[in-house]
Amino acid sequence: MADKTTQKNKDNEVPLEKKLDDLYKLIDGIEVALFTTRRPDGHLVSRPMQVQERTAGTDLWFMTNIESEKLDELATDPHVNLAFYKDRTREWVSVSGTALISRDRDLIRGLYKPDWKAWLGDEGGQRDGSANDPRIALVLVEAHSVTYAKKDRPAPLVLFEIVKGMVTGSPPKVADLRELGEREIQQAARPEMR
């Protein structure tokens, strides 16, 4: 049986285009996700990572150093979760998916940003933090499901809902909770299917 709060806040009766538009605005406005992987001992670990590129649909590209532990974790279990949170509005996004590693030099050069050098450092020679640095790899997260909370109410209405909830004992609806399942994600990746 579904919890009443979850059901009350569900807002899945909106067109796919609107769901995607709101999702893209949230991700583009937050940029940094907590990227969660499973360590070989079975425990979960999260680290902040910046989205480098969003593909058509809901897949996301990240840059990483091939010497990082996350690649060992992804080799053991490629299932990941990305959590985005916007403190000012308390909006959030959760993306569940599978990570694929790419060392394609042309793709790396195409996505390269100068600030990557700060995360890699300059050790001299080829390990200089440039687009040709052999330590650079890309992680593509192919989304399988997405859940997000989008606030489209003005602050006074949110405050009213909270006070009303305190008085009535009923949880307030301060944001719309939306979900994108695998079928919708596949449609998003193929615009001709919409």
Side-chain angles (χ1 to χ4, degrees):
M1 187 164 130
D3 137 349
K4 288 180 183 177
T5 304
T6 303
Q7 287 301 328
K8 178 180 178 182
N9 288 337
K10 289 278 172 120
D11 184 34
N12 286 325
E13 299 303 317
V14 296
L16 178 58
E17 294 291 331
K18 171 80 171 136
K19 283 185 183 181
L20 291 171
D21 187 47
D22 287 344
L23 173 65
Y24 296 158
K25 285 178 186 171
L26 283 172
I27 289 175
D28 292 345
I30 300 172
E31 294 179 5
V32 175
L34 283 176
F35 191 107
T36 303
T37 57
R38 185 174 304 278
R39 297 186 323 208
D41 65 7
H43 294 282
L44 301 173
V45 62
S46 298
R47 81 258 310 144
M49 291 185 68
Q50 185 171 359
V51 174
Q52 299 302 317
E53 185 79 25
R54 181 176 41 78
T55 67
T58 56
D59 297 344
L60 303 165
W61 283 104
F62 296 86
M63 182 280 292
T64 192
N65 184 332
I66 63 165
E67 297 167 356
S68 74
E69 292 178 1
K70 83 178 77 57
L71 293 187
D72 294 334
E73 295 159 4
L74 293 172
T76 302
D77 184 350
H79 296 94
V80 300
N81 186 270
L82 305 173
F84 298 82
Y85 182 72
K86 193 172 196 174
D87 190 44
R88 189 173 44 88
T89 62
R90 298 190 176 179
E91 294 170 303
W92 56 269
V93 177
S94 176
V95 177
S96 178
T98 305
L100 303 169
I101 310 303
S102 173
R103 295 180 78 180
D104 180 301
R105 298 318 307 170
D106 290 333
L107 186 56
I108 290 169
R109 282 187 208 89
L111 292 178
Y112 182 80
K113 295 179 182 161
D115 67 337
W116 293 7
K117 188 172 186 167
W119 299 105
L120 295 161
D122 185 347
E123 296 177 1
Q126 286 188 319
R127 299 168 65 94
D128 62 357
S130 73
N132 296 314
D133 191 313
R135 296 173 294 171
I136 296 174
L138 298 173
V139 179
L140 173 66
V141 174
E142 291 183 331
H144 298 292
S145 67
V146 177
T147 304
Y148 68 93
K150 174 74 177 139
K151 185 185 122 197
D152 60 359
R153 295 157 180 76
L157 182 57
V158 170
L159 183 57
F160 171 77
E161 283 287 323
I162 292 170
V163 171
K164 182 174 104 179
M166 292 170 61
V167 171
T168 66
S170 178
K173 184 173 180 179
V174 297
D176 294 324
L177 186 63
R178 296 186 184 147
E179 295 176 340
L180 290 160
E182 282 194 67
R183 188 166 157 218
E184 288 178 304
I185 289 170
Q186 289 171 354
Q187 282 180 287
R190 292 184 212 93
E192 71 277 0
M193 289 178 61
R194 286 187 240 158

